[in-house]
């Protein structure tokens, strides 16, 4: 598991019902079953990924998440994972709202478009950034809804969604220094946020 | 009795009955025979048995297991050495279903007191078919199944296996099926049965099965069946509105390519299938409802605890993908291990019987059985 997946594993309660929205080959869920004895379910669209889920022994359903998750009940899951998925879907707002409806909490991971290298590339080079966290050209990128950490914070605030934690991650020493200084939106190539729709305790 | 013909690879298990076999509909059977084929070998741990449940018009001959002298079976591309259901790895069993006409007790079987059952055969259900499969396995010394696999009516049997004998099955593969047939599906079946029953040759089911009969009623029933097995796009592609060349024989002679296809299928079918058997099996399929006596699908599946693989095909309109997805969602809701995939295909309901390039069904089922 990489660093982000370690952080996800830390945030997931043992034995909880976990929905991985856009679960890919299912390896993260497999790891969570091994470490946290979670009750997993993955959602995927690609047949190849769904075959890999089967090979990995991970239960997964072929669902087009862009059409919502109305097949699932409110809070059917304890926690939803939306990892490197929100920016590739056609209807991120719908996926966001549905994730927080079917689960009490949500872990979201997405690339930060406002990372300093992206900013420089756009400002000085005048080109769409192509980096290790955003490795595509404009014409072949699956990332059709890019946002910054800052955008996402505002977005959550406007929707009354509470951010329980925010973990930016970088690649270089400079990235990590900026993150350590609290400048997630500048130093983070990506971010993991832990969200809850429940009001803050005591309010 | 040409309709009874079955490959000589099929053997008949004589199932000893201590008491008459009680059927769900209230009927009883005094004797029970099950036509059966097996491929591969039971391992010393006796944990590699796989049961195949065939769809309505098929039989126990699922595969020739790559024996060149034997006719290929109806699931040859899917069952055999190195195939998805690998007969080098698994001990594979396929039985003709109860009420069938390929060797298992059904309307063509002798009735106590002489003659054949015909329409005096008691009403049967999917539940009864599964009970009989269970008995046949017992007879073969199989006490546990690694997997049970089936499509369409066979898929319904798979679901029934999972809920009725939950400790017997580790993995269930339900393909192109549903908890029940839709009203649209029922409608086609009903017309098919009416066609058989209105055929003067049918004679209330008291025809002589060994006679050379036209059985146009069964022919039309089979044609209706074929319409429901093929997708609209496939019909467009395969036949279009093409007219047959050189059709002669009056105003209403066979004109369209699709017409000659259907006629050919009908004529071929009556040579290998019994009309009464068709009536019993199609009615059993129509009446099956997994949710019977339960609040919803989830409640009806609560007794199961095996892992499930549910597969549908995008262009299947007899058991549309949603009917499979409903099962998968219900299983997920009650915390069962379930994988669901809708395989893109133009072939319609028949897709599970046809090998496609890089066959997705084979890849998915193969992976599921090994996982």
């Amino acid at each position: 598991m990489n660093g982000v997946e370690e952080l996800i594993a830390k945030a997931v309660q043992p034995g909880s019902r976990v929905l991985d929205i856009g679960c890919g080959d299912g390896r993260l869920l497999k790891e969570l079953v091994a470490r946290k004895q979670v009750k997993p379910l993955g959602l995927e669209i690609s047949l190849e990924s769904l075959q890999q889920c089967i090979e990995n022994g991970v239960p997964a359903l072929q669902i087009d998440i862009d059409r919502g998750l109305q097949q699932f009940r409110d809070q059917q899951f304890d926690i939803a994972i939306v990892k490197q998925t929100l920016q590739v879907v056609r209807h991120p707002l719908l996926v966001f709202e549905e994730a927080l409806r079917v689960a009490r909490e949500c872990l979201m991971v997405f690339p930060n478009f406002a990372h300093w290298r992206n900013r420089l590339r756009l400002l000085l080079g005048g080109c769409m950034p192509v980096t290790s966290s955003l490795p595509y050209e404009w014409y072949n990128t699956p990332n059709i809804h890019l946002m910054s950490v800052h955008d996402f914070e505002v977005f959550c605030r406007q929707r009354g969604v509470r951010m329980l934690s925010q973990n930016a991650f970088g690649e270089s020493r400079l990235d990590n220094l900026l993150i350590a200084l609290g400048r997630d939106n500048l130093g983070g190539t990506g971010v993991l946020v832990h969200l809850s729709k429940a009001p803050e305790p005591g309010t | 009795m040409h309709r009874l013909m079955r490959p000589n690879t099929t053997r008949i298990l004589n199932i000893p009955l201590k008491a008459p076999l009680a059927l769900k509909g209230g009927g009883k059977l005094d004797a029970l025979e099950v036509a059966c084929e097996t491929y591969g070998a039971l391992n010393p741990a006796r944990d590699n048995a796989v049961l195949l449940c065939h769809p309505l018009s098929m039989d126990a001959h699922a595969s020739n297991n790559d024996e060149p002298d034997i006719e290929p079976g109806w699931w040859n591309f899917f069952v055999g050495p190195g195939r998805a259901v690998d007969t080098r790895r698994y001990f594979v069993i396929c039985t003709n279903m109860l009420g069938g006409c390929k060797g298992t007790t059904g309307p063509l079987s002798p009735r106590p007191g002489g003659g054949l059952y015909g329409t005096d055969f008691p009403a049967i259900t999917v539940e009864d078919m599964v009970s009989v499969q269970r008995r046949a396995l017992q007879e073969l010394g199989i006490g546990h199944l690694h997997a049970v696999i089936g499509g369409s009516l066979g898929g319904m049997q798979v679901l029934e296996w999972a809920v009725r004998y939950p400790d017997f099955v580790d993995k269930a593969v339900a393909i192109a099926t549903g908890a029940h047939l839709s009203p649209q599906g029922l409608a086609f079946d009903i017309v098919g049965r009416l066609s058989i029953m209105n055929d003067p040759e049918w004679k209330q089911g008291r025809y002589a099965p060994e006679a050379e009969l036209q059985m146009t009623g069964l022919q039309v029933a089979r044609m209706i069946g074929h319409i429901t097995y093929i997708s609209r796009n496939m019909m467009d592609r395969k036949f279009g509105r093409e007219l047959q060349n050189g059709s002669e024989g009056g105003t209403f002679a066979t004109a369209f390519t699709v017409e000659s296809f259907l006629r050919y299928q009908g004529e071929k079918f009556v040579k290998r299938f019994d009309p009464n058997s068709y009536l019993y099996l199609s009615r059993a399929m129509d009446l099956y409802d997994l949710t019977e006596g339960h609040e919803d699908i989830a409640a009806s599946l609560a007794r199961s605890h095996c892992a499930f693989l549910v597969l549908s095909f995008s262009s299947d309109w007899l058991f549309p993908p949603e009917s499979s997805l409903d099962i998968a969602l219900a299983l997920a809701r009650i915390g069962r291990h379930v994988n669901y995939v809708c395989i893109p295909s133009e072939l319609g309901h028949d897709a599970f019987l046809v090998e496609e390039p890089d066959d997705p069904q084979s890849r998915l089922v193969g992976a599921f059985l090994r996982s």
Side-chain angles (χ1 to χ4, degrees):
Chain A
M1 290 212 297
N2 60 32
V4 189
E5 289 173 342
E6 293 287 350
L7 287 173
I8 290 174
K10 232 176 252 177
V12 170
Q13 294 298 314
S16 54
R17 294 165 300 173
V18 181
L19 181 70
D20 190 346
I21 301 172
C23 65
D25 61 11
R27 273 187 22 238
L28 175 60
L29 282 175
K30 186 182 182 181
E31 239 355 272
L32 292 176
V33 171
R35 292 194 191 192
K36 295 291 187 95
Q37 297 77 47
V38 301
K39 299 178 192 78
L41 183 67
L43 304 183
E44 248 300 328
I45 189 89
S46 130
L47 198 142
E48 306 311 315
S49 296
L50 287 157
Q51 185 181 335
Q52 289 168 327
C53 287
I54 293 172
E55 285 159 5
N56 283 320
V58 170
L61 309 182
Q62 186 171 45
I63 299 259
D64 182 1
I65 57 177
D66 258 326
R67 296 161 122 188
L69 302 176
Q70 63 279 355
Q71 305 94 328
F72 298 97
R73 295 180 175 176
D74 294 0
Q75 306 206 348
Q76 187 173 326
F77 302 91
D78 297 310
I79 195 159
I81 298 170
V82 185
K83 180 170 145 285
Q84 302 296 9
T85 296
L86 203 58
Q87 80 276 9
V88 304
V89 297
R90 194 165 284 276
H91 303 293
L93 176 58
L94 178 69
V95 173
F96 176 88
E97 286 176 340
E98 284 287 79
L100 281 160
R101 178 183 65 78
V102 301
R104 283 188 293 110
E105 294 178 7
C106 184
L107 295 166
M108 288 193 181
V109 180
F110 55 88
N112 173 31
F113 198 67
H115 182 254
W116 63 268
R117 209 179 292 117
N118 297 343
R119 297 190 199 196
L120 281 182
R121 182 96 198 262
L122 201 54
L123 183 69
L124 303 178
C127 307
M128 283 301 281
V130 179
T131 61
S132 53
S133 60
L134 294 168
Y136 301 95
E137 296 288 350
W138 63 270
Y139 50 81
N140 66 8
T141 182
N143 301 317
I144 55 173
H145 286 106
L146 288 162
M147 66 285 210
S148 69
V149 175
H150 180 66
D151 286 330
F152 198 75
E153 287 166 354
V154 173
F155 174 80
C156 290
R157 212 177 304 134
Q158 285 169 344
R159 273 160 188 81
V161 172
R162 209 150 54 88
M163 220 179 261
L164 303 176
S165 71
Q166 172 178 313
N167 282 285
F169 43 88
E171 287 161 7
S172 65
R173 251 190 230 175
L174 178 55
D175 292 348
N176 293 333
L177 179 67
L178 287 164
I179 293 165
L181 292 170
R183 306 297 300 273
D184 287 2
N185 201 36
L186 197 58
T189 54
V191 66
L192 163 70
V193 290
H194 190 165
L195 307 171
S196 165
K197 227 177 163 180
E200 208 148 345
T203 61
Chain B
M1 280 216 253
H2 58 280
R3 280 188 200 88
L4 257 172
M5 284 230 292
R6 52 175 192 273
N8 51 15
T9 43
T10 302
R11 64 184 164 130
I12 304 292
L13 302 172
N14 212 313
I15 314 287
L17 298 174
K18 287 194 191 99
L21 180 71
L23 301 167
K24 192 189 167 202
K28 280 190 171 66
L29 288 174
D30 294 314
L32 181 61
E33 290 185 326
V34 175
C36 164
E37 293 204 10
T38 65
Y39 321 103
L42 194 60
N43 64 9
R46 308 175 79 79
D47 62 0
N48 69 333
V50 172
L51 177 70
L52 307 177
C53 302
H54 70 77
L56 193 147
S57 66
M58 299 306 173
D59 50 39
H61 185 55
S63 170
N64 65 0
N65 205 20
D66 273 4
E67 300 278 352
D69 301 335
I70 302 174
E71 281 264 300
W74 54 271
W75 237 355
N76 228 60
F77 73 90
F78 187 63
V79 180
R83 312 279 160 78
V85 184
D86 190 345
T87 51
R88 284 191 213 120
R89 185 189 274 257
Y90 305 113
F91 179 53
V92 182
I93 305 125
C94 187
T95 64
N96 183 213
M97 65 175 83
L98 177 68
C101 54
K102 301 299 174 121
T104 294
T105 300
L108 283 179
S109 301
R111 178 178 44 185
L116 303 179
Y117 268 115
T119 42
D120 290 333
F121 193 70
I124 49 163
T125 61
V126 168
E127 291 87 335
D128 297 324
M129 294 169 181
V130 169
S131 305
V132 166
Q133 287 165 349
R134 173 84 167 74
R135 296 222 174 198
L137 291 181
Q138 224 164 10
E139 197 55 26
L140 290 167
I142 309 285
H144 194 81
L145 287 172
H146 174 66
V148 53
I149 306 172
S152 194
L153 175 55
M156 289 173 157
Q157 292 163 19
V158 168
L159 298 174
E160 189 58 28
W161 261 102
V163 296
R164 198 121 66 83
Y165 303 114
D167 301 322
F168 206 93
V169 183
D170 287 341
K171 293 177 180 189
V173 181
I175 308 174
T177 195
H180 46 64
L181 195 58
S182 70
Q184 191 183 26
L186 294 180
F188 282 100
D189 278 354
I190 290 161
V191 177
R193 287 200 296 276
L194 283 175
S195 160
I196 293 173
M197 293 187 291
N198 283 302
D199 181 348
E201 281 184 346
W202 181 63
K203 295 183 180 142
Q204 304 300 311
R206 298 188 196 289
Y207 55 87
E210 64 278 10
E212 282 290 342
L213 300 171
Q214 290 286 308
M215 284 297 175
T216 49
L218 180 60
Q219 287 194 34
V220 172
R222 180 59 169 174
M223 294 184 211
I224 293 166
H226 266 284
I227 296 170
T228 67
Y229 303 154
I230 308 176
S231 74
R232 183 190 164 119
N233 279 349
M234 194 63 196
M235 277 219 184
D236 281 352
R237 261 214 341 239
K238 208 166 159 182
F239 311 114
R241 290 185 42 82
E242 235 172 274
L243 288 162
Q244 287 286 107
N245 291 331
S247 353
E248 286 164 25
T251 316
F252 300 109
T254 299
F256 293 101
T257 311
V258 62
E259 192 172 346
S260 74
F261 164 80
L262 291 174
R263 278 179 185 274
Y264 171 73
Q265 293 297 338
E267 284 161 18
K268 204 171 67 167
F269 192 60
V270 292
K271 295 198 179 84
R272 68 172 181 92
F273 220 85
D274 174 60
N276 284 338
S277 181
Y278 194 89
L279 291 175
Y280 276 91
L281 300 186
S282 108
R283 196 171 149 75
M285 177 159 175
D286 286 4
L287 287 176
Y288 184 64
D289 188 351
L290 177 70
T291 61
E292 190 182 278
H294 298 279
E295 199 183 324
D296 55 16
I297 302 182
S300 62
L301 288 162
R303 284 194 58 199
S304 70
H305 47 71
C306 61
F308 287 83
L309 174 62
V310 181
L311 297 179
S312 66
F313 294 90
S314 57
S315 59
D316 184 351
W317 58 273
L318 188 58
F319 285 104
E322 302 79 60
S323 66
S324 294
L325 180 58
D326 283 345
I327 293 168
L329 288 165
L331 287 165
R333 198 179 312 140
I334 57 174
R336 297 298 178 276
H337 187 114
V338 55
N339 288 82
Y340 165 75
V341 184
C342 172
I343 297 171
S345 170
E346 285 259 292
L347 295 172
H349 183 60
D350 258 352
F352 75 100
L353 297 170
V354 183
E355 183 174 22
E356 299 241 45
D358 196 24
D359 194 55
Q361 173 178 285
S362 294
R363 283 194 279 135
L364 296 164
V365 174
F368 183 69
L369 293 182
R370 283 190 303 272
S371 71

